[in-house]
Amino acid sequence: MIKDSNILNAGWMPKSHLSILVFGALYYMAILVLAVTNVESKFIMDGYSHVFTIANWETFSPTMGRHVLLLLQIFPVFCAKLGATTKEIMVAYVVWDVFFFVVIFLILLYILKDSLAALLSVSVHVFGMVYNHFMMVGELSHGSMFAIMTISLIVNWNEHSFTKRSLIIPAAFFTVSSHPLALISFLVSIWIWRFYVPKETSFGHLKLLFVSLSMVLLKWFFLDDYDKTTINQAQSPLSESVLHFFDPRFFLNFSLQFISSSPIVAALTIFCFVFLINESKYRIACLFLLFQVGWMMVAKQYLDFSHFSLEKSQSMMHDRYLFPMRFLTLFTLCFLLIPFGEKKYAWSHTHRYVVSSWVLGIPFLIFSAQKPGRTVASLRNSINYARSLGVTKSYYPVEEYCQDTYIHRGSFFATFVLSSIDEGETCHVIHASEKTITTLQNIHEDELLLMDDLTFSYSVLNPTRFTIEPSAYKKVDFTCNIQRPS
C-alpha cells in the first residue's frame, strides 16, 4: 500500500476523499430508499425469524452463532422495547442495516484514512451484495465489511497508532463470527497481498500466520450445526467436481453464467489476471487464477452448471457460493492494482472509474429484488387465499405447488409475520413438506407450528403483535401463481 504522502503527490488524496464521500453518500441513499420501499422483500425468508424473535420477546435473535447480527439488532430491539409495531421493527431493522454500512465506510475513510478500503467496502456491496442476497438482512455482507477493515489494518499497520491497531480485535472477531465465506475471502485476499508486496513490509509472514491461524481456530470454535449441514448438503462430492475440470462444457456454462450474472466483476477478473501477467507478477497471477478455478470446483458441489439459462443467471446473482470469487477480484483491484498503478503511472483518477462502476450496479439492485419480491408476493397470495376460505390455520404441499419458489423453513415464520402486519385477520399458512404434513395430526389446537419440529404454545405469543385463534390445520388447494377453489 502506498503511503498517503505519495498518493497526495500523485494528486489522489484531495480529490478522492471528496468524490468517494459524495458518491458513497449518494449510493447509500439509493440503497436506503430501495431498502425502505422493499422492506418486506429485504428479509427474504431467513430474516423473518429474527423479526419474530425481536417482536415477540423484545430481545436479540443471534441465530447460528452469528454474533455480528447483534450489532444489526441493537436499534430494532430498542424500538421493540419502546412498543413499536412489527412493521415498524422491520423498518428499523433495514434502516439500521444501511446505517451499519455507512458507519464502516466512514471509519475506513476518515478514521483509518484508507481511501482504497473505503472504495472496496462500497464496491463489495455493489458487486457482491447486489448479486448476493442484497435484499436479505443476513450476515455475509456485514462480515465482509469487517474483513475489509481487518485487511486495511494489516496492510497499513505501521501507519496506525496503538489505539487504531487495537481495532483489529473486534474487526477480526466479527469477521470470524459471521458467515464462513467472509473468512475465506479474507484469508485468500490477505495472503495474496502478502506475496505481492516486498518482504520488508511491517506485517510479516509470521504475524500474518498467527492472525490467520487464530481466526481459523476461532471459527472452528464457532462452527455450528448450520455450517456442518451446509457442508453435508453438497449435491456432488469434491472428487466428482474436480473431474469437471477437464470438461469444456462445464467451463463454458460456468463462464456464461458468471458473466451474465456478474458482468462487471467478470470483466474485472480478466483485467486483473492480464494486468498481473503484463507486470510479470507470475506467482501472484497463478495464485489468483488457481483460487478462482479452484473455487469453481467448490461451487460445482452446490450449483448446477449442466446448462445455461438467463433465469439461472438471476438466481446466481443472489448466490452466496460465488461471493469469494467476487471479493478476491475487487480486493485485487483496490488493494494491489490501483496502488501499483499510482506508484508506477500516477493514475490519479483511477478511483473515478471505480466510483462510476457503482452507478452501473444500481440498476441491478432493482433486478436482484425481483426474485425475493416474487417470493413474498407468493406468500401473501397464500395468506389471502386462505382468508378467502375463512381458514386461519392451513397448509399445502410445497413440493407439488411451489417448485420454482424459494421456500424453506423460514417461510413458516414469514407467513406468520406477514399476516400480522396488514389489515386482515392473522392467518398462519404452512408451506409444508411431506414430513411436516405427517406431524400436523400431533399438533394440538393450542399450539402453533412455526417450522419443522418447532411448536409454540399460544401463551408465549405477544398478544400486542401476534394473535391467532385456536383451530385445526386445514389443507387448501393453492398454487403460487394461480389460485383455484378447493
Side-chain angles (χ1 to χ4, degrees), residues 246-350:
F246 304 99
D247 185 353
R249 292 174 302 176
F250 165 71
F251 276 100
L252 177 61
N253 289 331
F254 181 92
S255 300
L256 290 175
Q257 297 286 181
F258 192 82
I259 291 172
S260 59
S261 64
S262 309
I264 301 175
V265 178
L268 290 176
T269 301
I270 297 173
F271 170 77
C272 289
F273 180 72
V274 172
F275 185 95
L276 290 169
I277 292 294
N278 184 60
E279 298 300 329
S280 301
K281 301 290 184 179
Y282 300 116
R283 183 173 64 167
I284 308 303
C286 288
L287 285 174
F288 179 84
L289 182 62
L290 283 175
F291 176 78
Q292 301 288 41
V293 173
W295 194 258
M296 287 169 57
M297 303 297 105
V298 176
K300 173 62 178 65
Q301 293 183 270
Y302 298 91
L303 306 176
D304 179 21
F305 299 106
S306 60
H307 65 283
F308 170 78
S309 70
L310 291 177
E311 290 184 1
K312 187 187 297 185
S313 295
Q314 185 183 0
S315 178
M316 286 178 64
M317 287 172 63
H318 304 275
D319 206 290
R320 69 195 70 185
Y321 296 109
L322 300 180
F323 179 77
M325 298 178 65
R326 296 162 177 153
F327 187 99
L328 181 62
T329 292
L330 296 171
F331 165 85
T332 302
L333 176 71
C334 290
F335 274 80
L336 299 185
L337 303 193
I338 289 179
F340 186 82
E342 282 286 338
K343 186 176 182 180
K344 188 172 183 179
Y345 305 110
W347 290 347
S348 58
H349 303 297
T350 307

Side-chain angles (χ1 to χ4, degrees), residues 379-449:
L379 298 179
R380 278 208 171 278
N381 286 338
S382 69
I383 295 169
N384 293 334
Y385 180 64
R387 282 190 182 130
S388 68
L389 300 177
V391 180
T392 59
K393 292 170 64 177
S394 61
Y395 70 90
Y396 64 91
V398 64
E399 296 90 352
E400 181 178 351
Y401 296 117
C402 288
Q403 295 179 358
D404 297 326
T405 301
Y406 181 63
I407 298 289
H408 67 9
R409 296 195 308 173
S411 64
F412 299 154
F413 283 103
T415 52
F416 192 45
V417 172
L418 288 171
S419 69
S420 302
I421 61 177
D422 56 21
E423 301 299 327
E425 294 290 333
T426 302
C427 181
H428 186 220
V429 181
I430 298 176
H431 316 268
S433 63
E434 292 184 5
K435 176 184 176 182
T436 305
I437 292 176
T438 59
T439 64
L440 291 178
Q441 302 302 325
N442 299 323
I443 300 175
H444 300 292
E445 289 189 358
D446 62 341
E447 292 179 334
L448 182 70
L449 178 65

Side-chain angles (χ1 to χ4, degrees), residues 183-241:
L183 179 60
I184 292 172
S185 303
F186 159 78
L187 291 174
V188 176
S189 299
I190 200 61
W191 276 101
I192 282 187
W193 166 83
R194 176 59 266 176
F195 292 133
Y196 186 90
V197 298
K199 295 182 179 179
E200 296 76 20
T201 306
S202 63
F203 214 94
H205 289 75
L206 289 179
K207 286 183 180 179
L208 188 56
L209 182 64
F210 172 77
V211 171
S212 301
L213 290 177
S214 299
M215 295 178 73
V216 170
L217 290 175
L218 190 60
K219 186 62 200 179
W220 182 263
F221 177 77
F222 283 131
L223 204 63
D224 53 40
D225 292 338
Y226 178 83
D227 299 322
K228 298 173 184 177
T229 301
T230 300
I231 295 174
N232 295 329
Q233 284 179 342
Q235 299 177 6
S236 61
L238 183 60
S239 57
E240 180 181 324
S241 298

